[in-house]
Amino acid sequence: MVTPLRKRRVTGELYARDPTIEALIAELAVMPRDALIARAAITKRADPGYIPSECLVYFLRASRHDNNEAGFERLYRILTERVLRSLPRAESVDGETESLTRGVIRDKVFGRFVELLSADRAGYVDKVDYFEVRFDGALASLRRDAQEQAWRDENRSQPLEFDEESGELSPEVEAAAGVYDPFAASDFDDPAYRLRLDAAIEALPTEQSRIIHMLRQGFPIDSKEPDVMTIAKALGRSEKTVRTYRDKAFAALRAAMADGDER
């Protein structure tokens, strides 16, 4: 039995999936998990084996009850890659404001989508129900909200994050970042450490936080393979820029975690 949605319309009616989506979910639910994930990786909508994103959201949400983190991570990565491919890239055109605004919008949409999935993972969020009813429409709604917010931003014409005209890190920041990797720390398995780290990541500037989240999910910064989704492609930034942001973020996280150890 397919789990029903909980969100209600203003008329009081429960949200309902399209009957074809409901039937496909029931069919896919009896498949072995590896087979389901293999089908989920199909990217062409015209392929007979393609699984609509509405179904992927259902199985991603259902995985919270499976205690199968590996399965969740694989589905999560497939779904977020779909979202990134569907968003317009912020190709740089001589630093034009329009290109910068597109990058901000892309970043806000992806960030909001990830936030909703993360919140739903912790406890049912009925706002995610719309993604099971009409995924493309729900994503379009996020884009409209992001556009309005970006266009209201008084500083949208300002360069993001760089403090140095050259784009290079200062020696102090490079020294602070060093070879630090917050996810390779010996006490990463400590729940208290992870809570502090999550809080420190959320306190980072938006684009640095996005990069750290994507690194955590296993996305490469850059790749010679044209079909591989990378952080540089997702954010519309050069490889050098992404690495600079990463190092600034690592330096900030190292300082934040060191401050916590002293308390």
Side-chain angles (χ1 to χ4, degrees):
M1 178 177 166
V2 178
T3 305
L5 300 173
R6 301 184 192 177
K7 187 173 179 62
R8 292 185 180 274
R9 302 181 185 279
V10 292
T11 58
E13 297 174 297
L14 284 170
Y15 272 44
R17 306 177 188 88
D18 184 282
T20 57
I21 294 294
E22 191 98 2
L24 182 55
I25 289 173
E27 175 187 330
L28 295 171
V30 299
M31 291 180 61
R33 180 52 61 94
D34 287 343
L36 171 64
I37 292 174
R39 276 191 60 176
I42 297 173
T43 58
K44 294 183 179 179
R45 296 196 183 202
D47 191 302
Y50 178 83
I51 298 178
S53 295
E54 291 85 351
C55 297
L56 294 190
V57 175
Y58 174 85
F59 286 109
L60 193 67
R61 301 177 84 184
S63 70
R64 76 163 76 90
H65 305 298
D66 299 343
N67 293 321
N68 185 343
E69 288 298 323
F72 168 81
E73 293 292 342
R74 293 165 72 185
L75 284 174
Y76 176 88
R77 181 163 181 168
I78 289 170
L79 186 59
T80 52
E81 284 183 346
R82 284 191 184 186
V83 171
L84 288 169
R85 282 195 297 269
S86 72
L87 296 174
R89 293 182 182 177
E91 301 294 345
S92 178
V93 184
D94 299 327
E96 291 181 0
T97 299
E98 181 181 356
S99 175
L100 179 59
T101 302
R102 285 199 302 269
V104 172
I105 292 170
R106 179 185 177 89
D107 187 42
K108 288 182 181 296
V109 172
F110 182 72
R112 179 57 178 158
F113 181 70
V114 169
E115 287 169 5
L116 286 170
L117 290 184
S118 298
D120 188 74
R121 184 73 174 168
Y124 198 95
V125 175
D126 63 7
K127 289 182 180 180
V128 183
D129 286 5
Y130 189 26
F131 287 90
E132 292 194 49
V133 175
R134 192 160 71 88
F135 187 88
D136 290 342
L139 203 58
S141 179
L142 292 186
R143 286 182 62 179
R144 286 193 297 270
D145 291 345
Q147 285 171 349
E148 291 176 2
Q149 186 177 355
W151 291 335
R152 289 195 304 265
D153 186 355
E154 294 179 358
N155 298 317
R156 67 181 183 275
S157 62
Q158 298 297 321
L160 294 178
E161 304 300 335
F162 276 128
D163 296 324
E164 301 82 15
E165 292 182 2
S166 65
E168 299 287 346
L169 287 173
S170 66
E172 292 78 12
V173 172
E174 287 185 337
V179 294
Y180 178 71
D181 181 352
F183 308 117
S186 59
D187 50 357
F188 184 72
D189 291 334
D190 181 359
Y193 174 89
R194 293 200 302 271
L195 285 173
R196 285 173 46 217
L197 178 60
D198 289 342
I201 291 172
E202 293 307 314
L204 292 170
T206 302
E207 198 150 4
Q208 291 181 29
S209 177
R210 298 285 184 264
I211 289 171
I212 297 303
H213 279 303
M214 294 186 75
L215 286 172
R216 194 173 188 172
Q217 295 300 327
F219 286 93
I221 291 177
D222 199 18
S223 174
K224 294 181 180 180
E225 299 296 328
D227 295 332
V228 174
M229 178 54 66
T230 67
I231 300 175
K233 288 180 183 177
L235 300 183
R237 302 286 181 180
S238 69
E239 176 188 0
K240 179 181 177 181
T241 298
V242 172
R243 293 187 187 280
T244 297
Y245 284 155
R246 178 203 60 188
D247 290 347
K248 292 178 74 173
F250 276 4
L253 292 176
R254 185 175 189 173
M257 299 306 288
D259 288 344
D261 289 338
E262 292 172 359
R263 291 189 179 94

